[in-house]
Amino acid sequence: MKTKIMFVVLFYAIPQLVQAQRVSVQEFLKDEKLQDEIISAIVPNHGLMTKLIGKIAENRNRHQMLVQHLTQLLNENSSGVGDSEQEKMKSAYVGFENREIKALSETDVQALLNGEGISTSLPAELNHHPGPRHALDFGDKLRLQENQRTSLQDSFDRMHAQAVKIGRQIIEQERALDKAFVTGTIDREFLQSITAELGALRGQLRFTHLTAHLEASRILTPRQIKTYDELRGYRPR
């Protein structure tokens, strides 16, 4: 009888109380006595909780785990709990509409203006081909020779100048693409042209950064590269 009552409370009373008190299910279920009663009622009877019982027994914070799963359960079974379905329908891009250039965050824009790679160099960086800038930063720890410092600085300067130039072009093209959609002047021909240009520019930017990593790996000794990887926190393969 108690089990049936608890199911009624779980699926009907709690959603209504939560909605009336304008609190989340997780907040409502913070009371440990209430949690214990619900646990005793649903663990032996509900398939989802039965599967979880092993994990719950091992988890020191069982209440937190149960609250999380009860929250999910209530959201799935009650139309009166919050706006979970509406939340699921929201775009991951909410807030992006306020950007000056929709495809670029302020961080992206600044990185392009600074000549940064925005993760374009990962195939090199994470495969034992250091970047010249970081190698110079680690100069003392890598015990760089003067000729190595000079070569690395030259490589970085050439890369940076080219990357800044390309970065500005990418920003201009993204701004033009945005404007065409805003003004309604966009058409298939323009779209094909500008996206091809953007693709080429991003390819050039990546080539520029990866080339600098390739040059740096040839300037440094194998021992220096190993030390670089260790300093950067990469696990040796």
Side-chain angles (χ1 to χ4, degrees), residues 138 141-143 221-233:
F138 294 142
K141 293 182 178 180
L142 294 179
R143 297 182 180 180
T221 66
R223 184 178 184 83
Q224 288 172 324
I225 292 174
K226 182 176 183 297
T227 301
Y228 175 94
D229 285 347
E230 291 172 352
L231 290 170
R232 294 286 277 167

Side-chain angles (χ1 to χ4, degrees), residues 94-136:
V94 171
F96 287 20
E97 69 274 13
N98 299 320
R99 290 177 174 181
E100 180 185 357
I101 302 174
K102 302 303 182 286
L104 299 174
S105 68
E106 291 184 9
T107 301
D108 293 334
V109 171
Q110 196 58 52
L112 289 168
L113 291 175
N114 291 340
E116 298 173 14
I118 316 179
S119 301
T120 57
S121 301
L122 291 182
E125 175 73 10
L126 301 181
N127 284 298
H128 319 298
H129 288 72
R133 176 70 274 160
H134 293 305
L136 286 167

Side-chain angles (χ1 to χ4, degrees), residues 6 14 17 24 52 76 86 94 97 113 137 168 176 178 183 186 188 192 198 204 216 227 236:
M6 286 307 302
I14 289 180
L17 288 170
S24 67
L52 290 170
E76 291 175 353
Q86 185 176 351
V94 171
E97 69 274 13
L113 291 175
D137 291 340
R168 288 174 178 169
D178 241 28
T183 59
I186 190 77
R188 185 181 180 85
Q192 184 175 29
L198 278 166
Q204 291 174 27
T227 301

Side-chain angles (χ1 to χ4, degrees), residues 25 38 48 50 112 130 198:
V25 177
I38 294 176
L48 175 61
T50 300
L112 289 168
L198 278 166

Side-chain angles (χ1 to χ4, degrees), residues 207-218:
F207 174 77
T208 299
H209 280 277
L210 287 171
T211 298
H213 280 255
L214 184 61
E215 292 175 354
S217 68
R218 292 173 176 173

